[in-house]
Amino acid sequence: MKVPAFLKKKKVQYAILITGFLLTLSLFIAILIGSVGNFINRDDFKPICETEKCFELGNRMALFMDNSTDPCNDFYKFSCGNANTALVTGEYIHGSATNYDIYEDRKMFRKYFNFSTYKPKTTPQKIAMVLMDKCVKTDTIEIIEQSVWKSTDLTDIFVEMSKVSIGKTHFLRNNIYSWAFGENIERIPLSLVLQSGIDVIFKDDYNKILDENPNFRTKKWGKSDGTTNAFKFFNIKKYLREVLPEYAKDTKWTLHYLENELMALQELVNLKGVETIRNSLKPLYNKVLESYVVEKNVTGKERDEQCFGKIEKMFPGTFAMIFVEQFVPKENLKRAKENLKELKEVFREMIDENDWMEQELKDGFKKEADLIEASLGVPEEYEDMENVEKMYESVQKTKGAEQQTYLELVRNLLKMNAEETFLRVAKKTVMTLAVKPLSWNAYFHYGAHQTSLATVLMKYPKIDMDLPSWNTIADFSHILGHEVGHAFDANSFETNQLLQKYQMSTKTREEFKKRFDCFIQKYSKYKFPDGTFSNGQKTNVEDSVDQIGFVLISRLFKKLLDDRRQQKLPVLDQYTVEQQFYLRFAYPLCCRKNTNKDIEKAKNLEYSIFEFRVNGMVSNSDDFAKAFGCAKNTPMNPEKKCPLY
């Protein structure tokens, strides 16, 4: 059938109209989708952080810097060259940027925790108030006579001293807590580890004994199953019954001892007699108590400050609890715990990439890293305040804290802490090893798979949600990474934390030695202002751990850059994010210029001075050299570097 021409024409018109409508509709939808998409994906990213804290931190870092120095020649001076001026503030000259932060936090905490107005809520807080008041008022030494000092049984003396100072008598060292704690506590027999420290009191006699008995000079671990006493002067079973009543019922206990030290100690007891030894130990016992008394000539604010330090030492968990409640946001504690996981993850990655270690050894290293835990914030036992209350109520069994003299109360608190430690060992309970919350302290506890960081290290500027993400990695992560690194330092690479030797070939052992020797040589070339050289042999352990921590944070930072764009700090915005990261890493280690007295003291320490530490770490890093464009063979980018793992 033939279609009329006008119908053909209309079909074409309809087709054009429909096509136009569809095109218009498509365009409208596209515009609408694009608008919604732009709204959803709107780019609010600001390349420079604009929070108040960012401006404060950027300004403080800028004040420390010496821009006239080439960062490739001396990065420490570039980052910290004006620290001498920047760290002098009013009544106190701060030793380092970290000391500055902690001093300010301490002032803030003391303002809140005013002993004259603070209303305690718990038993430990109440006792702390009483103890502070008594400390301020006590300026004379009051020695508490104990009938035990009339005894001729040295075991009784050791029991008494153990209850006050956890056995660290300088004569007999009791390391029961170190060996008993940790994730693998069920895998090993509960152990009492004894070591002698008699060279402190009887140095000449001790050396004479060693000269007469050359076989004592070779350190040798011994064991006793408890059926017989290894040494006549020390009744092991009696000691355990007194300090570990719960554990004494268990016949499977193990004694470990350094045979050479304790055999020499036995000879000394035979030589001197019990009475002489006892009379030498009593002053040590009294000295522990005396150390808690502030001298009479210290008055006013200084006296208050010294007493505050002693009370803080006695109540680390209590003060940490108060400090966290008042000054540490919960998200900071969460971030600190996440950071430990991140560090362990990049450590495993680093070990996996290693091409000179046996697979079995790699697996052992990774397993050790997995076991490491950290005390961050409030000690775990303080989550059960009912148990903590009972602990401190035991201090007031016979009479209340107010009725006790200052040293009576100190002694009872020390005794409580010691007994609680021993009780945890007896029950095979993992104990959180806390540190003073307002100190610049972080520790790795060998044998316990545990590190402890002071609570003050978990707040601004080390961790803060108002600062760029990389801030935490540049500062807090390096402290934590340094402590984790101690499980693999120059003293630890051959054994795990239970002192079990790793299986490794001679070739691998030689490679370890070569790498650690590189550190010794590197740090031995650093020169003090007086022209003498640093002792890389003495600082080798801490230098190697610095490097482990630095590599870990460098890896974490790289991951962060890959994941998302990172903001820069203001005031320093002429530097790239990478450059700011390294400046931020150096900032807490900026310190006042070392005096001659500081230098002499530094020569006897196991740590390199901050200048050597900062330059030592960055000069080992290709990433640092790339960030600052350092040419080959400049001081911060030497041809020969010292890679560790």
Side-chain angles (χ1 to χ4, degrees):
M1 180 176 159
K2 192 175 179 181
V3 179
F6 76 91
L7 285 179
K8 285 184 180 179
K9 190 175 180 182
K10 282 199 171 187
K11 278 188 176 182
V12 172
Q13 289 173 338
Y14 285 138
I16 292 169
L17 285 171
I18 291 168
T19 303
F21 173 77
L22 291 174
L23 285 171
T24 304
L25 181 63
S26 300
L27 182 62
F28 174 78
I29 292 171
I31 292 169
L32 181 64
I33 290 172
S35 299
V36 172
N38 285 337
F39 177 76
I40 293 171
N41 298 314
R42 188 175 60 198
D43 191 355
D44 283 335
F45 176 75
K46 294 179 180 178
I48 299 175
C49 176
E50 295 178 356
T51 67
E52 184 180 340
K53 288 177 180 175
C54 280
F55 275 99
E56 181 186 352
L57 181 57
N59 187 57
R60 279 169 57 180
M61 288 170 61
L63 288 173
F64 280 67
M65 293 176 65
D66 176 4
N67 291 307
S68 66
T69 301
D70 183 345
C72 296
N73 284 334
D74 188 337
F75 185 65
Y76 178 81
K77 190 177 179 185
F78 175 72
S79 306
C80 307
N82 287 323
N84 233 37
T85 304
L87 286 169
V88 179
T89 59
E91 64 190 81
Y92 186 79
I93 299 176
H94 307 288
S96 71
T98 292
N99 288 347
Y100 172 89
D101 298 330
I102 290 173
Y103 177 72
E104 295 303 311
D105 287 329
R106 194 174 184 82
K107 280 203 305 186
M108 183 171 63
F109 184 68
R110 284 296 309 275
K111 186 176 180 181
Y112 167 76
F113 199 75
N114 187 317
F115 284 90
S116 60
T117 59
Y118 183 74
K119 294 180 180 178
K121 305 175 188 67
T122 65
T123 300
Q125 288 176 14
K126 290 173 187 174
I127 296 176
M129 302 297 106
V130 173
L131 197 65
M132 179 68 181
D133 183 60
K134 289 180 182 292
C135 178
V136 172
K137 294 175 181 175
T138 302
D139 56 14
T140 55
I141 306 302
E142 161 218 344
I143 301 304
I144 303 169
E145 288 292 340
Q146 298 291 323
S147 59
V148 71
W149 294 106
K150 298 173 185 177
S151 170
T152 57
D153 187 341
L154 279 179
T155 307
D156 290 340
I157 304 294
F158 289 136
V159 167
E160 178 65 23
M161 297 185 82
S162 293
K163 287 185 175 180
V164 172
S165 57
I166 318 183
K168 291 185 177 179
T169 63
H170 295 294
F171 189 74
L172 187 72
R173 293 178 187 148
N174 170 0
N175 292 328
I176 191 165
Y177 52 92
S178 293
W179 277 63
F181 297 152
E183 290 286 327
N184 287 351
I185 191 169
E186 297 297 339
R187 267 181 39 198
I188 59 171
L190 199 53
S191 303
L192 177 68
V193 182
L194 296 175
Q195 288 179 249
S196 163
I198 60 172
D199 54 309
V200 176
I201 322 171
F202 300 104
K203 185 176 181 180
D204 293 339
D205 292 306
Y206 180 59
N207 287 331
K208 184 180 178 183
I209 289 169
L210 291 181
D211 288 339
E212 293 173 356
N213 299 273
N215 58 313
F216 288 176
R217 286 192 179 277
T218 305
K219 285 195 174 183
K220 180 182 176 184
W221 280 103
K223 287 186 180 180
S224 168
D225 63 3
T227 55
T228 58
N229 291 342
F231 308 101
K232 294 176 184 177
F233 72 92
F234 185 58
N235 188 324
I236 298 164
K237 283 190 174 180
K238 181 179 179 180
Y239 181 84
L240 284 170
R241 280 199 303 271
E242 292 290 329
V243 299
L244 290 168
E246 294 292 322
Y247 185 39
K249 299 171 187 175
D250 185 353
T251 57
K252 296 178 182 177
W253 62 273
T254 302
L255 170 71
H256 294 267
Y257 56 88
L258 277 176
E259 189 173 43
N260 66 317
E261 291 189 358
L262 293 195
M263 292 304 289
L265 180 52
Q266 176 72 71
E267 289 294 314
L268 184 66
V269 173
N270 295 340
L271 178 70
K272 294 286 185 181
V274 169
E275 187 175 351
T276 302
I277 303 297
R278 180 194 65 200
N279 292 338
S280 300
L281 290 175
K282 186 176 178 181
L284 290 176
Y285 175 87
N286 290 337
K287 194 173 181 180
V288 171
L289 296 175
E290 290 169 20
S291 68
Y292 288 89
V293 177
V294 178
E295 293 179 10
K296 188 181 290 188
N297 62 335
V298 179
T299 57
K301 279 187 177 181
E302 189 181 352
R303 186 173 191 83
D304 285 349
E305 183 63 29
Q306 285 194 26
C307 280
F308 181 84
K310 295 181 188 299
I311 309 309
E312 181 192 3
K313 183 180 177 181
M314 299 286 279
F315 295 86
T318 301
F319 277 27
M321 210 172 158
I322 296 168
F323 188 82
V324 166
E325 286 173 359
Q326 296 301 313
F327 307 117
V328 182
K330 287 182 180 177
E331 57 264 30
N332 285 25
L333 295 177
K334 182 182 176 184
R335 181 72 192 97
K337 289 172 183 175
E338 288 171 350
N339 191 235
L340 178 62
K341 292 179 183 176
E342 293 167 350
L343 287 168
K344 292 199 284 191
E345 182 183 336
V346 293
F347 179 84
R348 286 192 293 268
E349 290 172 1
M350 178 177 72
I351 295 301
D352 277 333
E353 292 171 16
N354 184 294
D355 60 1
W356 54 270
M357 290 169 63
E358 296 93 337
Q359 188 59 48
E360 187 179 349
L361 184 57
K362 288 184 182 183
D363 293 341
F365 270 46
K366 289 188 289 183
K367 187 175 183 181
E368 280 294 290
D370 286 339
L371 289 172
I372 296 171
E373 296 299 334
S375 172
L376 303 169
V378 180
E380 287 179 15
E381 53 263 33
Y382 274 72
E383 292 174 10
D384 180 7
M385 273 309 297
E386 186 178 343
N387 184 51
V388 173
E389 286 281 328
K390 287 178 183 176
M391 277 169 50
Y392 280 91
E393 283 167 5
S394 69
V395 172
Q396 307 178 95
K397 272 182 185 176
T398 53
K399 54 183 175 180
E402 294 84 354
Q403 284 74 50
Q404 297 179 47
T405 66
Y406 174 62
L407 282 181
E408 271 184 314
L409 192 51
V410 166
R411 182 182 181 280
N412 285 331
L413 283 164
L414 288 171
K415 186 177 178 183
M416 178 209 75
N417 285 330
E419 287 177 345
E420 182 66 16
T421 300
F422 289 129
L423 187 60
R424 286 173 183 275
V425 174
K427 292 180 178 178
K428 298 187 178 181
T429 306
V430 175
M431 183 176 181
T432 305
L433 304 170
V435 297
K436 290 197 297 183
L438 292 176
S439 62
W440 162 220
N441 275 327
Y443 297 105
F444 180 76
H445 307 280
Y446 289 99
H449 291 109
Q450 191 179 133
T451 178
S452 302
L453 276 71
T455 311
V456 76
L457 301 178
M458 274 153 272
K459 61 176 295 298
Y460 173 83
K462 298 186 179 302
I463 303 179
D464 197 283
M465 300 303 121
D466 287 339
L467 295 170
S469 304
W470 53 263
N471 174 76
T472 298
I473 297 174
D475 192 341
F476 178 80
S477 299
H478 188 251
I479 299 169
L480 186 53
H482 174 106
E483 299 309 325
V484 168
H486 269 297
F488 313 96
D489 63 27
N491 286 339
S492 306
F493 74 90
E494 289 197 59
T495 60
N496 64 22
Q497 290 303 296
L498 299 177
L499 296 187
Q500 297 164 337
K501 276 192 171 290
Y502 289 120
Q503 294 298 314
M504 66 176 79
S505 65
T506 303
K507 184 180 178 182
T508 301
R509 189 171 283 105
E510 287 173 352
E511 181 64 27
F512 267 118
K513 186 178 184 308
K514 185 176 82 174
R515 287 167 179 254
F516 283 119
D517 284 348
C518 185
F519 271 86
I520 294 171
Q521 293 164 16
K522 179 182 180 70
Y523 283 83
S524 294
K525 291 176 182 175
Y526 287 123
K527 193 181 286 188
F528 290 109
D530 65 359
T532 59
F533 288 92
S534 174
N535 185 344
Q537 185 71 53
K538 181 174 281 189
T539 62
N540 185 27
V541 171
E542 296 298 335
D543 294 336
S544 62
V545 171
D546 267 348
Q547 182 65 19
I548 293 171
F550 184 76
V551 171
L552 295 181
I553 66 169
S554 297
R555 283 173 166 266
L556 269 184
F557 177 62
K558 264 188 175 180
K559 281 190 168 187
L560 199 66
L561 284 180
D562 291 342
D563 286 347
R564 63 181 78 87
R565 285 174 289 179
Q566 288 298 309
Q567 288 184 313
K568 296 196 287 186
L569 290 173
V571 187
L572 300 167
D573 48 297
Q574 68 269 39
Y575 300 103
T576 66
V577 173
E578 289 91 339
Q579 289 170 338
Q580 285 197 2
F581 171 77
Y582 292 111
L583 285 166
R584 181 67 184 88
F585 149 76
Y587 164 72
L589 298 176
C590 292
C591 67
R592 291 183 295 112
K593 191 175 180 181
N594 291 300
T595 63
N596 290 336
K597 186 177 179 181
D598 294 332
I599 292 167
E600 286 307 310
K601 184 179 178 182
K603 290 176 184 178
N604 295 313
L605 297 177
E606 294 179 352
Y607 292 86
S608 296
I609 61 173
F610 288 152
E611 177 184 345
F612 301 165
R613 292 176 72 175
V614 170
N615 285 343
M617 284 183 269
V618 300
S619 63
N620 252 342
S621 169
D622 289 330
D623 290 329
F624 169 84
K626 184 179 177 182
F628 282 92
C630 298
K632 277 283 184 187
N633 290 322
T634 51
M636 297 299 106
N637 187 21
E639 186 72 38
K640 182 183 178 183
K641 292 184 172 66
C642 296
L644 198 53
Y645 290 121

